[in-house]
Amino acid sequence: MAEASPIQHRTRRGVLVWTLLAVAVTTAIAFDALRDRPRLPPPETEAPVEMPPTDRAFVLPSDPPDLPLGPHREEFAVSCTICHSTRLVANQPHFPQKKWAEIVHKMVAVYGAPLAPDDESRIVEYLMTMRGRPE
Amino acid sequence: MDQPDDRPDFRIRLTRRQWLRWGTVAGIAGIASKGCSRRIEEAPAEVEPYLRFPGKVAMRVISDRAPCLETPWRYYREDLTPNEAFFVRWHLQAIPTAVDLRTWRLRVGGHVNKPLELSLDDLKKMKATSIVAVNQCSGNSRSYFEPRVPGGQWGHGAMGNARWTGVPLCDLLKRADLKAKAKQVTFDGLDEGPLPSVPDFIKALDVPHALQPEVLVAYEMNGKPLPMLNGFPVRLVVPGYFATYWVKALTTINVLDLDHPFDGFWMQKAYLLPDKANESPHALSKNVAPIGRMVVRSFLVRPEADERLPLGKPVALDGIAFDGGEGIKQVQFSADGGSSWSDAKLGDDLGKFSFRRWRAEWTPPQRGSYALQVRAVNGAGQTQPTEPIWNRGGYAQNVVETVRVHVV
C-alpha cells in the first residue's frame, strides 16, 4: 500500500478540524437557543388536540423549577408550595429585600399562610438567594 | 405535588445540565462567543417552560398550580382564538377537573322572588345568544412593567377572542324576578382556596350592568363546549370588561340588596386601579377603584419581533386591535419609531367587542433595524399612550407597542 501523501494527511486533518468545528458551532448554537429564549413549543403542538372527557378528573401536569441551594430552602419549599406552585414564585422578577418581605407578609396577613414567626425573615433570606437584587 | 425534588423533573434537568456542560466545553474550546460563556455563569433567567395541559396545545406556564397558561403568539393570526390555545388563568389551587352534569346546577338566589336551580339542559332550552368578544386578563403584559411588579408574569398572551354562546344573564335575572332593592349581583365558581383562610374567588357587577344584553352565561366557546380549563360547563361573559369578571365554572349567582354591598376580597382588595391613570412606586395613589372596562390596544402579529425581512420587497403586516366595546375605528402603523404614521386597512367587523384585524403593506427602503409601531383609535376617539402607564398591580397596560425587525 502506498503511503498517504502529506497532502492527503493535511486533507484528513482538515476534515477532522472542520468536523469538530461544525459540531462545536452547532452545539453552541443549540445551547444558545436553549439558554437565550423561552423554549418554543415543539412543532407537533399544531397536531389536533383532544378534549379530555369532562366527567372524569384529569391530572394537571407540572414542571417545577430547580430551587437553588441556599439557607432556608427547606422552609421555603414547605411553606410556599401549599397554595400555589413554586413556578409562580420562580417566575417573579428579581426584587429587593423590602419587596420580598412585603410579598411574604402579604401571604401571611392576607391569605393566611401558616408560617412560624421566624420563618418570614428566613424565607425572605432564601428568596433573596433565589430572586433577589440589591435595593 | 409540586415538590422541588420531584423525580421525573430531576431527570429533565439533568439533560439540560448536560447541555450546559457541552456548552461549557464549546466555550473552553474558544468557539463559543464571549457572550455565550458569560451566560453560563449567570443565574438562570426567569424560567419559561412550555407544557401541554389536558385539551391544550403546549403553552407557556406562568404558574402550574393554579394553572396560568399563555397563548402562543402565532394563534393571534386567526380572528377567533382556538379553544385549545386560549389562555388560562385560575387564582385558586383547587380547580374543577371534572364536572358531573347529572348533579351540576346553576343557582340564582339572594334578593329575588323566584330562586332558580337550573341544569345545563335547562339552560340550553332557554333562548341562546352568541357574541364575539375579547377576553383579556387585567394583568396581560405585566412582565413589561418597569419597575417590575409582583403577580403573574404574563407576556402579551393573556388575551383571546372567541364566539361565546349562552343565555343572556338578564333573561335569568328576569326569570328569577329581582326584588325592588336589588343592587349588585355576585358570581362564584367551583374553584376553591387550598386553605379556608384564602378568600373564595367571587366577583360582583352592579345590577344595571348585569342587565345589559351582552352579558352572557356561556356554555359554548367557538361552537364547542368550554374546555375544562376555560370554565366548563358555563362561565360568565362580560364583553368589554377585563377577564377578572368572567367567572369560570360558574355555579352561584347571588343578588344583593342595597343594605349589603359586596365586600369580597377579589373586589375590594385585589384588581384595583388608581383613580389617576398613572401612579409611581414612590407616589402610590390613595384612591383606588375596582378595574372595569378594557382600554384600547393594538398589536402587530406579523412580522414577529426580531424577524429578518428581505430588502426591497413589500412586507405584509397584520395584527389585531380591540377596546372596551366602542369598536375600533382606525389603526395606523409607523415604521420609523413613531415619526410618521399611515393608515392600515381594517378587516372583517365581527362586532364591537371583538378583535378587529388590520393589515398593511410596507416596503423597507434600506437595510437596518426598524421599530414598527401600531396604534388604534376607538369609536369614542380614545387611543393609546406613547409612554407606558404604571400601576402597582400591573394592570390595564395599553402603551403603543414597538416590534423590532431587521431588514437584510
Side-chain angles (χ1 to χ4, degrees):
Chain A
M1 260 227 282
E3 279 270 305
S5 72
I7 292 173
Q8 274 172 316
H9 262 308
R10 235 175 289 147
T11 325
R12 269 191 220 142
R13 213 183 309 134
V15 167
L16 189 70
V17 165
W18 281 112
T19 313
L20 278 178
L21 206 68
V23 167
V25 166
T26 319
T27 315
I29 289 170
F31 168 75
D32 198 50
L34 269 177
R35 295 294 305 164
D36 219 6
R37 281 171 274 281
R39 277 168 285 141
L40 286 176
E44 82 260 18
T45 56
E46 301 285 6
V49 174
E50 237 179 79
M51 283 297 152
T54 52
D55 56 352
R56 253 180 293 138
F58 53 67
V59 178
L60 296 170
S62 83
D63 179 17
D66 280 342
L67 292 181
L69 293 174
H72 310 307
R73 182 174 181 267
E74 294 314 309
E75 287 93 323
F76 171 85
V78 168
S79 298
C80 301
T81 59
I82 303 172
C83 301
H84 45 65
S85 54
T86 43
R87 169 82 50 207
L88 178 64
V89 187
N91 265 353
Q92 296 302 312
H94 293 266
F95 285 130
Q97 175 156 8
K98 211 173 115 222
K99 192 82 204 169
W100 276 123
E102 233 173 69
I103 293 172
V104 171
H105 188 70
K106 176 181 171 189
M107 298 305 134
V108 177
V110 174
Y111 300 128
L115 300 195
D118 292 344
D119 273 0
E120 261 191 62
S121 57
R122 290 200 187 108
I123 289 172
V124 170
E125 195 184 328
Y126 179 70
L127 287 163
M128 287 302 288
T129 310
M130 187 178 159
R131 308 292 302 155
R133 71 166 168 79
E135 203 52 55
Chain B
M1 276 293 280
D2 182 9
Q3 291 303 322
D5 41 0
D6 204 57
R7 286 284 145 188
D9 178 66
F10 188 54
R11 249 179 282 131
I12 298 169
R13 297 291 151 175
L14 261 189
T15 355
R16 273 179 222 147
R17 275 195 199 113
Q18 280 159 4
W19 271 108
L20 260 170
R21 223 169 285 142
W22 280 106
T24 319
V25 169
I28 288 164
I31 287 147
S33 70
K34 252 196 195 149
C36 188
S37 50
R38 174 165 45 76
R39 251 177 258 126
I40 295 169
E41 289 141 25
E42 268 172 18
E46 287 154 57
V47 207
E48 300 183 339
Y50 284 82
L51 283 183
R52 269 176 161 245
F53 274 63
K56 291 283 162 183
V57 300
M59 294 172 81
R60 182 182 160 220
V61 181
I62 305 298
S63 160
D64 320 41
R65 225 170 12 90
C68 294
L69 312 171
E70 182 162 320
T71 298
W73 197 246
R74 63 177 181 277
Y75 288 97
Y76 299 118
R77 294 172 191 176
E78 299 165 56
D79 288 350
L80 297 179
T81 317
N83 292 5
E84 66 271 20
F86 211 95
F87 85 99
V88 171
R89 198 275 189 254
W90 292 87
H91 301 76
L92 308 180
Q93 186 166 222
I95 67 158
T97 57
V99 173
D100 185 351
L101 290 176
R102 291 167 303 183
T103 55
W104 179 89
R105 293 293 179 274
L106 176 67
R107 295 189 167 80
V108 185
H111 202 64
V112 297
N113 290 311
K114 290 180 234 156
L116 307 176
E117 253 195 56
L118 304 169
S119 69
L120 188 57
D121 279 342
D122 295 336
L123 279 176
K124 287 185 176 171
K125 277 182 207 133
M126 294 178 67
K127 193 172 160 288
T129 302
S130 288
I131 191 167
V132 179
V134 176
N135 175 244
Q136 183 190 207
C137 177
S138 314
N140 193 24
S141 315
R142 182 181 285 123
S143 63
Y144 302 109
F145 272 67
E146 202 50 60
R148 301 282 301 264
V149 292
Q153 296 300 315
W154 299 100
H156 295 315
M159 60 177 181
N161 191 40
R163 176 171 283 113
W164 310 92
T165 303
V167 178
L169 176 64
C170 57
D171 290 353
L172 286 169
L173 294 178
K174 274 175 209 146
R175 214 170 129 177
D177 192 12
L178 299 188
K179 289 187 184 170
K181 276 168 70 189
K183 167 91 162 95
Q184 277 188 311
V185 187
T186 63
F187 305 89
D188 188 8
L190 288 170
D191 51 338
E192 278 173 356
L195 297 179
S197 56
V198 177
D200 196 6
F201 190 78
I202 302 175
K203 298 297 288 192
L205 297 177
D206 289 339
V207 163
H209 186 189
L211 290 175
Q212 293 302 307
E214 75 271 11
V215 183
L216 301 186
V217 171
Y219 45 76
E220 266 183 20
M221 183 174 166
N222 296 324
K224 285 168 276 182
L226 303 176
M228 191 63 71
L229 289 170
N230 294 101
F232 183 88
V234 303
R235 81 178 296 173
L236 193 68
V237 167
V238 192
Y241 267 55
F242 278 105
T244 179
Y245 293 95
W246 300 41
V247 172
K248 294 178 292 301
L250 177 66
T251 51
T252 311
I253 299 175
N254 193 30
V255 180
L256 300 175
D257 63 31
L258 286 170
D259 305 328
H260 303 90
F262 186 62
D263 61 355
F265 172 83
W266 299 98
M267 285 298 296
Q268 297 298 318
K269 296 283 188 300
Y271 288 107
L272 301 174
L273 270 183
D275 53 353
K276 291 181 219 80
N278 257 321
E279 60 181 356
S280 87
H282 312 293
L284 294 180
S285 172
K286 289 212 176 55
N287 298 318
V288 288
I291 196 169
R293 213 167 267 289
M294 293 192 287
V295 282
V296 187
R297 288 199 92 169
S298 59
F299 290 101
L300 186 72
V301 173
R302 268 179 300 194
E304 291 187 24
D306 286 326
E307 232 176 86
R308 289 165 176 273
L309 305 171
L311 176 69
K313 286 206 187 98
V315 178
L317 310 178
D318 92 83
I320 49 177
F322 61 95
D323 76 326
E326 298 289 340
I328 294 300
K329 286 281 141 8
Q330 186 188 31
V331 174
Q332 296 184 308
F333 81 95
S334 167
D336 54 12
S339 303
S340 62
W341 295 87
S342 29
D343 278 334
K345 271 205 199 74
L346 296 186
D348 291 346
D349 185 356
L350 303 181
K352 57 185 185 172
F353 295 108
S354 164
F355 279 164
R356 187 77 187 263
R357 180 73 39 189
W358 63 265
R359 293 186 183 85
E361 211 178 70
W362 167 63
T363 307
Q366 60 194 51
R367 275 179 236 281
S369 278
Y370 288 84
L372 302 182
Q373 294 188 315
V374 52
R375 70 180 182 201
V377 182
N378 73 359
Q382 292 159 327
T383 185
Q384 305 174 244
T386 47
E387 290 302 317
I389 51 153
W390 188 93
N391 55 68
R392 70 199 95 163
Y395 297 134
Q397 187 54 265
N398 75 330
V399 66
V400 171
E401 299 290 342
T402 304
V403 170
R404 282 227 156 254
V405 293
H406 311 286
V407 174
V408 291

